[in-house]
Amino acid sequence: MTATRSSDRLPDGREIYYYGEAPILADPSDGPSAGHWTPDRSELRWDPLMEEWVIVAPHRRRRAAATGALCPLCPTRGDDLTEIPAARYDVAVFENRFPALSGPWTADFAPVGPLPRSAAAAGRCEVISYSSEHDVTPALLPAARLVTVIEALADRTAELGAMPGVQYVFCFENHGAEVGATVSHAHGQVYAYPFVPPRIARMRDAARHSAARGAGCLFCEVQRQEAAGSRVVERGDHWTAFVPYAARWPYEIHLYPRRHLPDLAALTPAERAELAQLYGSVLRRLAGLPGGPLPYMALWIQAPVTEDREVFHLHLQIFTDRAGTGGPKRLAAGELGAGVFVSEVDPERAAEELRAVRTSAGLE
Amino acid sequence: MTATRSSDRLPDGREIYYYGEAPILADPSDGPSAGHWTPDRSELRWDPLMEEWVIVAPHRRRRAAATGALCPLCPTRGDDLTEIPAARYDVAVFENRFPALSGPWTADFAPVGPLPRSAAAAGRCEVISYSSEHDVTPALLPAARLVTVIEALADRTAELGAMPGVQYVFCFENHGAEVGATVSHAHGQVYAYPFVPPRIARMRDAARHSAARGAGCLFCEVQRQEAAGSRVVERGDHWTAFVPYAARWPYEIHLYPRRHLPDLAALTPAERAELAQLYGSVLRRLAGLPGGPLPYMALWIQAPVTEDREVFHLHLQIFTDRAGTGGPKRLAAGELGAGVFVSEVDPERAAEELRAVRTSAGLE
């Protein structure tokens, strides 16, 4: 990691970390305090039909009421107390005040035994702010800042992954009010789950099947196919960005490292630097589409913490739920009830449109 | 089946069926014609990471442009040609003009072989209109009409299930523009898939696991638990309506037949009659919630056509994506990226609220 890191505690006891290209300009008066923050804990309930855990978190409804006029990710200035005590920062990570997952792991998550099955929703939820500036979007951040974001996510992945009971660290970004972001300040989130989430488990199973067939790494095979095809959006020395063959969303882009590696922590400095450039460039392509900037989700797909690390292959999935023309893609009964996506966009054409967007560099 | 059935062809050659409590009042001048309708065919593309088929159907974008001022489900009157030639009808079913799935089955759907894998999107999509009246909602239909709807769905399930290559018949309802319904006239849809859809396959796997553990029918076990618990919404002689223990949505209701049976076609007349009553009553509870009538989806979960019929157990899942207060539940990266639902509603409280809604009978 080239970024510096310092840690602190919020007045209520939650942890906060600063990552930066430059030394942190935190106000030393905001030093560690003796807060005793105890979040309302969610409940995990086992859905026996889908064999999945559902997080029941009624306390999270208070989020909306808790959001005042002040942006919680802007630096604290004078008496305007936000979530972040520092007067200026590059990247800040802190514990979510209304976490879906929190506290130590106590339960047995094996899906057996009599119904109904319940457990405390152990784990941890963090928020990562990408800048102390309120009005900059992730697409416009300089590559150096995106390197710091990536390094912070790699650090969080390693640190949360080492906590007892954590099975998966999921880093993601919901960008735009239309996709549920309650705060417009550029930020992402990190969820540490006490189990391997179902969608990740599906990919793990597929990767296992490929290995069992003697076909090697499934993700490497997919990348070989895609790199030679007509859906490539951008190509670097270490990474390839493409619209996947079976894209579900109006615009969907996957960004794969050429080298087979499990997670963000395993990237070399050269791979991180190019990832930051391509990540920004892909976001600017999305922002530059007709009707843009479009809301999007960015998902960092990493290996589970302990199991199946060798069959997994880090990649980034980015998609928007709307086409340039028309409203959002609605998930209806076909998608939500049967689980079968109907895409109304031709993936090859989507790739063509994305390639055609002019991307200037970020604010260097 | 107590409903009468007659069939016809639309001018472009698509099939249409009328089901009715009373004899059908179709205009005999709208007899079979020599149309040669050939839909644009969708493509199935295999997503190797999720091991799922995705339907790629760019032609469906033309739907919006094709919807004129005329409601396509109202009866044709004079020169106002709608999708339905009859001057009056009880229930009508016809082939969707912009089908996601259509035509004969030709491919091998086994998920093996080199990438990328593609197949013609075989199958069939039908629309079922519940009434020739434009302004009546499903919640307000008399129980006798809902019996006819149920009998029509049972008939479609049997008929489509007998088509070569069809593996699953999925009946569902998207109600409300907010959940993607492009037409407000009360209606449902029937999709005949050439494979068992992923969400159904998950339930099938769970049911197989239960049987393998010697625990018997998983759905029977769930129903025993729920019927004895605090989340029952309504109870009949043959059916139980309850909020499931691990509900994902703000209001979610499952309706199970007490008897172990695979699909709608297996219901006795008494079971059908009570189902119609409870279905209507549950919809009226949803409509009567604060902020209602709420948009909803209704999913008829039936056994696959050929496999695993004995482990499956018919039931109806109904949910709305919004709570009485506040906007819709948004699916964010946690749900769409990791597959882990976070529910902000307490299932026991949701059941209490649903029980408290006064339901008058439908328009008998």
Side-chain angles (χ1 to χ4, degrees):
Chain A
M1 187 159 77
T2 56
T4 61
R5 166 184 150 159
S6 62
S7 61
D8 203 343
R9 276 193 188 270
L10 298 174
D12 62 7
R14 282 178 289 153
E15 290 181 296
I16 185 166
Y17 307 89
Y18 298 104
Y19 298 83
E21 303 88 85
I24 306 301
L25 302 176
D27 181 342
S29 70
D30 295 309
S33 79
H36 296 282
W37 176 70
T38 310
D40 284 321
R41 220 168 173 196
S42 310
E43 182 187 0
L44 290 179
R45 292 190 174 197
W46 181 248
D47 174 359
L49 268 54
M50 296 297 287
E51 299 188 324
E52 289 176 5
W53 291 105
V54 173
I55 301 172
V56 181
H59 63 93
R60 277 174 57 80
R61 291 180 101 167
R62 295 205 313 271
R63 263 179 314 166
T67 305
L70 219 56
C71 169
L73 303 188
C74 279
T76 289
R77 287 192 183 95
D79 290 339
D80 288 344
L81 298 176
T82 69
E83 294 283 83
I84 301 179
R88 195 194 78 74
Y89 64 90
D90 291 332
V91 169
V93 177
F94 60 91
E95 291 182 78
N96 193 317
R97 208 198 313 179
F98 298 101
L101 302 161
S102 64
W105 169 84
T106 52
D108 165 22
F109 288 97
V112 293
L115 302 174
R117 302 195 67 229
S118 170
R124 179 145 157 156
C125 295
E126 298 183 340
V127 177
I128 170 169
S129 177
Y130 294 0
S131 167
S132 55
E133 299 298 318
H134 183 74
D135 290 321
V136 66
T137 64
L140 291 178
L141 287 172
R145 176 60 54 81
L146 290 176
V147 167
T148 306
V149 168
I150 290 162
E151 291 189 339
L153 293 176
D155 186 63
R156 303 320 302 147
T157 299
E159 193 152 286
L160 299 187
M163 288 183 170
V166 169
Q167 294 296 324
Y168 194 78
V169 181
F170 183 49
C171 305
F172 60 92
E173 198 181 304
N174 292 322
H175 181 79
E178 302 91 334
V179 294
T182 46
V183 167
S184 68
H185 196 119
H187 73 288
Q189 296 184 65
V190 184
Y191 270 36
Y193 291 100
F195 52 84
V196 177
R199 190 163 174 270
I200 306 299
R202 291 297 301 264
M203 292 187 214
R204 174 202 62 200
D205 291 346
R208 282 181 184 165
H209 297 159
S210 175
R213 282 196 303 272
C217 170
L218 175 65
F219 305 90
C220 287
E221 187 187 352
V222 165
Q223 187 181 198
R224 267 194 305 273
Q225 289 282 347
E226 292 288 5
S230 56
R231 289 174 303 280
V232 172
V233 173
E234 209 154 344
R235 202 190 310 260
D237 291 334
H238 306 287
W239 296 81
T240 312
F242 57 87
V243 175
Y245 175 68
R248 284 172 174 70
W249 299 94
Y251 294 96
E252 181 172 353
I253 302 148
H254 291 190
L255 189 50
Y256 276 49
R258 202 131 326 140
R259 196 161 63 86
H260 180 72
L261 50 92
D263 58 20
L264 288 166
L267 293 171
T268 64
E271 285 165 340
R272 277 201 296 266
E274 192 183 281
L275 170 58
Q277 280 181 342
L278 286 179
Y279 181 26
S281 171
V282 163
L283 292 183
R284 289 191 293 280
R285 286 180 193 279
L286 268 184
L289 285 170
L294 302 172
Y296 66 84
M297 293 185 199
L299 319 170
W300 295 94
I301 307 294
Q302 307 192 82
V305 164
T306 52
E307 293 174 356
D308 300 285
R309 292 185 59 78
E310 70 296 335
V311 302
F312 239 85
H313 189 125
L314 167 75
H315 64 284
L316 175 63
Q317 302 187 347
I318 302 177
F319 66 87
T320 177
D321 65 356
R322 47 209 80 194
T325 57
K329 170 177 179 55
R330 297 198 185 274
L331 299 183
E335 283 87 6
L336 295 175
V340 183
F341 272 66
V342 180
S343 167
E344 301 185 2
V345 174
D346 181 55
E348 287 73 30
R349 192 173 148 184
E352 214 175 288
E353 291 172 25
L354 285 162
R355 280 194 300 267
V357 175
R358 285 202 210 190
T359 67
S360 49
L363 308 165
E364 298 289 349
Chain B
M1 185 159 77
T2 56
T4 61
R5 167 185 149 159
S6 62
S7 62
D8 202 343
R9 277 194 187 270
L10 298 173
D12 62 6
R14 282 177 289 153
E15 290 181 296
I16 186 166
Y17 308 88
Y18 298 105
Y19 298 84
E21 301 91 82
I24 304 302
L25 302 176
D27 180 344
S29 71
D30 294 310
S33 77
H36 294 283
W37 175 71
T38 309
D40 284 322
R41 221 166 171 197
S42 310
E43 181 186 1
L44 290 179
R45 292 188 175 198
W46 182 249
D47 174 358
L49 267 53
M50 296 296 287
E51 299 189 325
E52 287 176 4
W53 291 106
V54 172
I55 301 173
V56 180
H59 64 94
R60 276 173 58 80
R61 292 179 99 166
R62 293 206 314 271
R63 266 180 312 167
T67 305
L70 219 56
C71 170
L73 303 188
C74 279
T76 288
R77 287 191 183 93
D79 290 339
D80 287 345
L81 298 175
T82 69
E83 294 283 83
I84 301 179
R88 196 195 77 74
Y89 64 89
D90 291 333
V91 169
V93 177
F94 60 91
E95 292 182 78
N96 193 317
R97 208 200 309 182
F98 298 101
L101 302 161
S102 64
W105 169 84
T106 52
D108 165 22
F109 289 99
V112 292
L115 300 174
R117 299 194 68 228
S118 171
R124 179 145 157 156
C125 295
E126 296 183 340
V127 177
I128 170 168
S129 177
Y130 295 179
S131 167
S132 56
E133 299 299 318
H134 183 75
D135 290 322
V136 66
T137 65
L140 291 178
L141 287 172
R145 177 59 55 82
L146 290 176
V147 167
T148 307
V149 168
I150 290 162
E151 291 189 339
L153 293 177
D155 185 64
R156 303 320 303 147
T157 298
E159 192 151 288
L160 299 187
M163 288 184 170
V166 169
Q167 294 296 324
Y168 194 78
V169 181
F170 182 48
C171 306
F172 61 91
E173 199 180 303
N174 292 321
H175 181 80
E178 302 90 334
V179 294
T182 47
V183 167
S184 68
H185 196 118
H187 73 287
Q189 296 185 65
V190 185
Y191 270 36
Y193 291 99
F195 52 83
V196 177
R199 190 163 174 271
I200 306 300
R202 291 297 301 268
M203 292 187 214
R204 173 202 63 199
D205 291 347
R208 281 180 184 166
H209 297 158
S210 175
R213 283 195 304 271
C217 170
L218 175 66
F219 304 90
C220 288
E221 187 188 351
V222 166
Q223 187 181 198
R224 267 194 304 274
Q225 289 282 347
E226 293 288 3
S230 56
R231 288 173 303 279
V232 171
V233 174
E234 209 155 343
R235 201 190 312 259
D237 292 333
H238 306 288
W239 296 81
T240 312
F242 57 87
V243 175
Y245 175 68
R248 285 172 175 68
W249 299 94
Y251 294 96
E252 182 171 352
I253 302 149
H254 291 190
L255 189 51
Y256 275 49
R258 202 132 325 141
R259 194 161 64 85
H260 180 72
L261 49 92
D263 58 19
L264 288 166
L267 293 171
T268 64
E271 286 166 339
R272 277 201 297 264
E274 192 182 281
L275 170 58
Q277 280 181 342
L278 286 178
Y279 181 26
S281 171
V282 162
L283 292 184
R284 289 191 293 280
R285 287 180 193 279
L286 268 185
L289 286 170
L294 303 172
Y296 66 85
M297 293 185 199
L299 318 170
W300 296 94
I301 307 293
Q302 308 193 82
V305 165
T306 53
E307 294 174 356
D308 300 285
R309 292 184 60 78
E310 68 297 334
V311 301
F312 239 85
H313 189 123
L314 167 74
H315 63 283
L316 175 64
Q317 302 187 347
I318 302 177
F319 66 87
T320 176
D321 65 356
R322 48 209 79 195
T325 57
K329 170 177 178 55
R330 297 197 185 274
L331 300 182
E335 284 86 6
L336 295 175
V340 183
F341 272 66
V342 180
S343 167
E344 299 184 4
V345 174
D346 182 55
E348 287 73 30
R349 193 172 148 185
E352 214 176 287
E353 292 172 25
L354 285 162
R355 280 194 301 266
V357 175
R358 284 203 210 189
T359 68
S360 50
L363 307 166
E364 298 290 350

